[in-house]
Amino acid sequence: MKFNIITIYPDFFKSFTSSTIIGRAIDRKLIEVNLIPLRNFSYDKNHRIDDRPISGGAGLILRLEPLVDALNSISSPSYKVLLGPRGKKYNQADAIRLSKKEEITLICGHFEGIDYRFNKYVDEEISIGDYILTGGEIASMVLIDSISRLITGVISEKSTEDESFNNSLLEYPQYTYPKEYDGEKIPDILFSGNHKIIDDYHLKESLKETIKYRKDLISSLTYDRKIATFYKEIKENKDGKLEENISKVLNKKK
């Protein structure tokens, strides 16, 4: 997967592309990040790439010509994404969809916006949320990070299966040692070694977390019989077959 980033501030990405998972993925040639400095395409002797808005208004607008020339400098076919407030709000389904592309170009907006005519040169506009950033650089990092981790080899396949927002569920609670701290104990079933029951326990806990913290995700949940049963038990605050099986397993271990 190749990412092209059209940006005014290429130095902004130095730490991002040289550290942790993204840096290792680049070193292993699983992903490529190609920084395209927008000022290189300026028509101005002072390398300005912005101008005042026509008919007045606050701030400055990115000019059309440098943006188009920067896009045209990319010789290979690329899916072009503009980071901006008019775009669809980004989610995990978008990350999965975009991870199937071979090459993506991310255009980082700045100042008060861009020349509106530039929109016809992109395939999609994406917003990472309803708040204001000083530019699209941070948003582009969000996309690169969330897409890259879905590419085979970047992280373990098991990790991507268990993460939050798979099937619109938050991830189940995770623990590590010590087994007990300040009166709080790790659930005993997690030490049982019964992986089938632990998997069901994790699923039900994920559903509980989602209902408690992100009810808005429930509407897009894909139901099967097990999830429907767990959902009904949680809403009615009742134990079910799972709790009965957990009790049997723990009693056997005593």
Side-chain angles (χ1 to χ4, degrees):
M1 163 74 77
K2 181 177 181 180
F3 297 96
N4 303 305
I5 308 172
I6 297 175
T7 174
I8 302 173
Y9 302 113
D11 288 348
F12 198 84
F13 294 88
K14 282 184 178 178
S15 176
F16 177 70
T17 56
S18 63
S19 60
T20 65
I21 290 172
I22 298 300
R24 289 197 298 270
I26 292 172
D27 289 342
R28 294 163 62 193
K29 301 189 184 309
L30 297 171
I31 67 170
E32 179 183 351
V33 177
N34 174 37
L35 297 169
I36 303 173
L38 186 59
R39 293 191 190 277
N40 288 357
F41 302 90
S42 172
Y43 283 59
D44 183 87
K45 65 179 181 180
N46 295 317
H47 302 293
R48 283 191 59 181
I49 35 72
D50 56 0
D51 210 336
R52 294 169 295 175
I54 300 298
S55 78
L60 297 166
I61 305 296
L62 283 179
R63 291 178 62 96
L64 180 64
E65 315 99 297
L67 287 165
V68 174
D69 287 352
L71 275 184
N72 290 338
S73 73
I74 301 166
S75 57
S76 50
S78 174
Y79 190 78
K80 303 168 187 68
V81 177
L82 173 64
L83 288 315
R86 283 188 299 267
K88 175 184 177 292
K89 192 180 293 187
Y90 188 65
N91 59 31
Q92 184 66 12
D94 294 315
I96 294 169
R97 171 175 59 84
L98 292 171
S99 72
K100 296 174 172 55
K101 306 288 185 185
E102 290 187 8
E103 184 170 333
I104 298 172
T105 296
L106 303 171
I107 301 102
C108 303
H110 241 283
F111 307 121
E112 286 300 309
I114 66 170
D115 189 306
Y116 187 79
R117 293 169 293 180
F118 182 68
N119 286 278
K120 77 173 187 177
Y121 294 93
V122 302
D123 297 300
E124 181 177 3
E125 184 170 354
I126 285 177
S127 168
I128 63 166
D130 295 335
Y131 42 85
I132 300 171
L133 297 172
T134 54
E137 282 73 19
I138 292 174
S140 70
M141 291 181 189
V142 169
L143 266 69
I144 293 171
D145 189 281
S146 59
I147 294 168
S148 295
R149 62 193 299 107
L150 298 171
I151 295 169
T152 302
V154 173
I155 62 173
S156 72
E157 188 175 342
K158 181 62 178 173
S159 293
T160 59
E161 288 174 359
D162 288 344
E163 286 176 332
S164 294
F165 304 115
N166 284 334
N167 193 22
S168 297
L169 288 174
L170 297 180
E171 193 171 8
Y172 50 82
Q174 300 261 38
Y175 307 91
T176 189
Y177 292 98
K179 187 174 181 180
E180 183 174 353
Y181 182 79
D182 198 23
E184 294 288 332
K185 293 179 62 178
I186 298 173
D188 290 333
I189 189 59
L190 300 181
F191 297 97
S192 70
N194 190 317
H195 298 296
K196 183 180 183 306
I197 288 182
I198 289 173
D199 285 345
D200 285 347
Y201 174 80
H202 280 159
L203 176 58
K204 194 167 187 178
E205 289 301 302
S206 288
L207 195 52
K208 286 179 181 178
E209 292 291 290
T210 307
I211 291 169
K212 182 176 180 180
Y213 294 107
R214 290 292 306 273
K215 289 182 181 178
D216 57 300
L217 296 173
I218 296 298
S219 60
S220 55
L221 183 64
T222 301
Y223 285 85
D224 57 19
R225 182 176 295 179
K226 184 179 291 185
I227 289 178
T229 299
F230 287 166
Y231 183 81
K232 185 173 185 293
E233 290 169 357
I234 293 167
K235 296 299 286 183
E236 295 178 354
N237 197 27
K238 293 180 180 179
D239 289 341
K241 188 72 173 177
L242 172 62
E243 286 72 24
E244 182 181 325
N245 290 336
I246 289 173
S247 181
K248 287 179 182 179
V249 168
L250 294 180
N251 285 334
K252 280 184 182 179
K253 290 179 71 67
K254 289 181 180 179

